[in-house]
């Protein structure tokens, strides 16, 4: 069989793409947006000042050399294009017609910029916590949710992705779609403290946590946690610093989950209510993340490796904008009075005695004069069936 001749290219640059400098969205809109702060905020999901700070941090990694064949794409255009993709979730084909850049060029720019955001800003906006940081986080939770000695709210979020080739059911989750998991520990300011990204959607949150670096370091006592301290106003024994989580995680001395929903008395209901008040912060953080970066509103049409880069960048940008842009309005709905914490999709074995003892310590404190809230009984009794 005679081999076919390679198809000759009709154009070096498509005539429409060749008009990028005159008609591309960056060149026609960018400077007008900078003079209209509200429109710029809506377009990029951050203020002009925050964009400039972000650009200054990334400029050297986004600057490429001009050649005799073509001019390089500017750092401003690369960053604006990436932010627009993350803010809208528009396909690369759609952005191709807006920015008049090749689809493969857009894909390369987005992936490179996302990777650069993670590498350049991770230590600045999501540093490894020290003992002082854990104490500050615990004070924040006590002030906002009245849960003492809490160093974070833990949960996993399934990020919908296109089914990777030859992956079988590895990425197919219990919600009946393909995903990778963002496991996150969040503080009371809705900022991510530690994340684990990229686990198979079919894997339970508890198993992801156990095999993650965060879980391994927690079990090995390598997270620089402060020494146990007494709960405020209490004369009982010192309590360890704990993470609050839902029923999908195993109970341990440093991870608190709710009491099972059978045979609940007021004491256990109050503990579940108080734990839910602290745990809501991770749920709200996921909501804020998805609402700001709407790339998560639909399936990521890319490989799991590139999807991980996108998630990493959004996590960093979430913290970055919360540091530099003050929210204009409250982002959390009033706390529901129900004490239901959902079905246990990953039933755990019997917890160890140490974890049980810590949970009992907190449960006793929440009904004591020192730790009780004036409205907690009304909240739990109003929802009893």
């Amino acid at each position: 069989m005679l081999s076919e001749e390679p198809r000759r290219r009709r154009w070096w640059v498509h005539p429409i793409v060749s008009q990028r400098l005159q008609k591309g969205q960056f060149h026609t809109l960018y400077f007008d947006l900078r003079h209209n702060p509200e429109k710029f905020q809506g377009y990029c999901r951050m203020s002009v000042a925050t964009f400039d700070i972000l650009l200054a941090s990334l400029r050297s990694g986004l600057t490429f050399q001009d050649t005799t064949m073509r001019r390089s794409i500017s750092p401003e255009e690369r960053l604006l294009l990436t932010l627009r993709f993350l803010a809208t979730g528009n396909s690369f084909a759609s952005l191709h017609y807006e920015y008049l850049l090749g689809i493969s060029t857009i894909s390369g720019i987005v992936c490179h910029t996302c990777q650069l955001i993670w590498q350049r800003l991770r230590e600045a906006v999501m540093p490894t916590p020290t003992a002082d940081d854990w104490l500050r986080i615990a004070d924040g939770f006590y002030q906002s949710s009245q849960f003492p000695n809490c160093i974070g709210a833990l949960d996993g979020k399934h990020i919908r992705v296109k089914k990777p080739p030859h992956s079988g059911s590895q990425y197919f989750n219990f919600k009946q779609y393909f995903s990778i998991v963002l496991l996150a520990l969040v503080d009371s300011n809705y900022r991510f403290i530690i994340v684990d990204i990229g686990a198979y959607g079919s894997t339970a949150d508890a198993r992801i946590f156990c095999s993650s670096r965060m879980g391994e370091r927690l079990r090995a006592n390598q997270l620089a946690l402060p020494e146990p301290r007494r709960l405020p106003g209490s004369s009982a024994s010192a309590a360890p610093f704990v993470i609050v989580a839902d029923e999908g995680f195993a109970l341990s001395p440093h991870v608190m989950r709710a009491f099972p929903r059978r045979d609940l008395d007021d004491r256990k209901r109050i503990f579940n209510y108080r734990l839910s008040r602290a745990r809501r912060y991770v749920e709200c953080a996921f909501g804020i993340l998805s609402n700001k970066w709407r790339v998560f509103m639909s399936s990521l049409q890319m490989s799991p490796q590139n999807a991980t880069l996108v998630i990493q960048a959004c996590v960093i940008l979430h913290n970055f904008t919360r540091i530099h842009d003050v929210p204009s309005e409250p982002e959390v709905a009033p706390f529901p009075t129900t004490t239901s914490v959902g079905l246990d999709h990953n039933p755990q074995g019997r917890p160890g005695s140490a974890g049980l003892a810590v949970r009992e310590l907190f449960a006793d404190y929440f009904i004591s004069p020192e730790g009780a809230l004036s409205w907690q009984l009304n909240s739990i009794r109003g929802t009893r069936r």
Side-chain angles (χ1 to χ4, degrees):
M1 176 181 279
L2 297 176
S3 60
E4 296 182 1
E5 294 184 3
R7 186 167 63 94
R8 296 180 61 185
R9 297 179 62 171
R10 288 194 293 171
W11 299 288
W12 174 251
V13 178
H14 194 282
I16 293 179
V17 176
S18 66
Q19 302 179 68
R20 179 174 67 89
L21 298 180
Q22 294 77 37
K23 298 183 179 181
Q25 193 168 104
F26 172 80
H27 297 278
T28 60
L29 195 59
Y30 174 65
F31 294 102
D32 289 337
L33 286 173
R34 289 188 65 92
H35 289 93
N36 293 271
E38 290 184 4
K39 296 295 185 182
F40 191 96
Q41 178 87 34
Y43 191 89
C44 294
R45 299 295 193 268
M46 62 180 64
S47 66
V48 177
T50 301
F51 177 87
D52 290 340
I53 296 171
L54 178 62
L55 180 62
S57 302
L58 305 177
R59 180 178 292 278
S60 61
L62 297 176
T63 303
F64 293 84
Q65 187 175 3
D66 293 335
T67 68
T68 56
M69 302 297 292
R70 59 168 63 90
R71 291 173 55 186
S72 64
I73 301 170
S74 67
E76 290 84 355
E77 186 169 3
R78 288 173 177 271
L79 182 57
L80 194 75
L81 170 64
T82 301
L83 292 178
R84 189 59 180 165
F85 168 71
L86 299 178
T88 63
N90 287 350
S91 67
F92 293 154
S94 176
L95 293 171
H96 158 69
Y97 292 105
E98 296 174 8
Y99 282 80
L100 301 184
L101 290 166
I103 294 176
S104 60
T105 302
I106 291 173
S107 175
I109 288 174
V110 168
C111 292
H112 172 259
T113 307
C114 287
Q115 185 176 32
L116 194 66
I117 289 171
W118 175 260
Q119 293 174 344
R120 293 284 180 91
L121 299 176
R122 180 167 57 94
E123 290 300 325
V125 303
M126 199 171 62
T128 302
T130 64
D132 290 338
D133 293 329
W134 291 125
L135 289 172
R136 176 183 52 79
I137 293 168
D139 290 342
F141 270 102
Y142 184 61
Q143 293 295 324
S144 60
S145 64
Q146 294 77 52
F147 198 108
N149 286 24
C150 177
I151 57 171
L154 178 69
D155 204 359
K157 177 178 175 60
H158 287 270
I159 307 297
R160 191 186 296 264
V161 297
K162 178 179 69 173
K163 181 184 183 297
H166 315 297
S167 62
S169 60
Q170 284 181 321
Y171 293 89
F172 196 69
N173 63 37
F174 69 93
K175 299 180 180 181
Q176 308 299 305
Y177 61 83
F178 296 93
S179 66
I180 59 178
V181 179
L182 163 61
L183 185 74
L185 186 68
V186 173
D187 68 12
S188 61
N189 291 316
Y190 313 104
R191 296 180 191 170
F192 295 104
I193 307 169
I194 304 174
V195 295
D196 183 272
I197 303 169
Y200 296 137
S202 61
T203 310
D205 288 349
R207 184 172 298 176
I208 297 172
F209 177 66
C210 288
S211 60
S212 69
R213 188 161 178 256
M214 171 173 45
E216 292 174 351
R217 293 183 64 192
L218 181 63
R219 290 193 301 273
N221 197 25
Q222 296 176 348
L223 281 182
L225 297 184
E227 291 296 320
R229 68 180 182 185
R230 289 181 176 176
L231 301 179
S234 173
S235 59
S237 58
F241 286 83
V242 298
I243 293 168
V244 294
D246 63 17
E247 294 181 358
F249 295 87
L251 183 68
S252 74
H254 291 292
V255 179
M256 291 291 100
R257 56 178 279 184
F259 284 101
R261 286 176 291 170
R262 59 183 180 276
D263 302 325
L264 289 177
D265 55 20
D266 282 351
R267 174 174 167 276
K268 293 179 179 179
R269 288 178 180 273
I270 288 172
F271 175 86
N272 288 0
Y273 170 72
R274 298 287 290 271
L275 182 134
S276 296
R277 295 186 77 249
R279 199 182 64 79
R280 61 176 171 161
Y281 286 94
V282 66
E283 301 287 356
C284 292
F286 287 149
I288 295 168
L289 177 76
S290 297
N291 191 55
K292 179 181 285 287
W293 307 111
R294 301 202 170 192
V295 68
F296 297 129
M297 294 294 187
S298 59
S299 176
L300 296 179
Q301 300 298 306
M302 56 185 63
S303 68
Q305 293 75 24
N306 288 341
T308 297
L309 294 177
V310 167
I311 299 168
Q312 287 176 337
C314 289
V315 165
I316 295 301
L317 290 172
H318 172 92
N319 280 10
F320 188 84
T321 54
R322 293 201 67 80
I323 292 171
H324 294 282
D325 286 340
V326 179
S328 58
E329 57 184 15
E331 296 167 298
V332 184
F335 182 72
T337 57
T338 177
T339 58
S340 174
V341 291
L343 294 176
D344 186 354
H345 297 287
N346 180 47
Q348 302 294 322
R350 293 181 62 85
S353 58
L356 290 171
V358 173
R359 185 166 66 181
E360 294 294 329
L361 179 63
F362 277 94
D364 289 338
Y365 175 74
F366 290 148
I367 61 172
S368 69
E370 296 80 16
L373 299 177
S374 59
W375 66 86
Q376 61 188 23
L377 277 175
N378 291 334
S379 296
I380 64 166
R381 289 174 177 172
T383 59
R384 178 180 294 177
R385 296 176 181 176

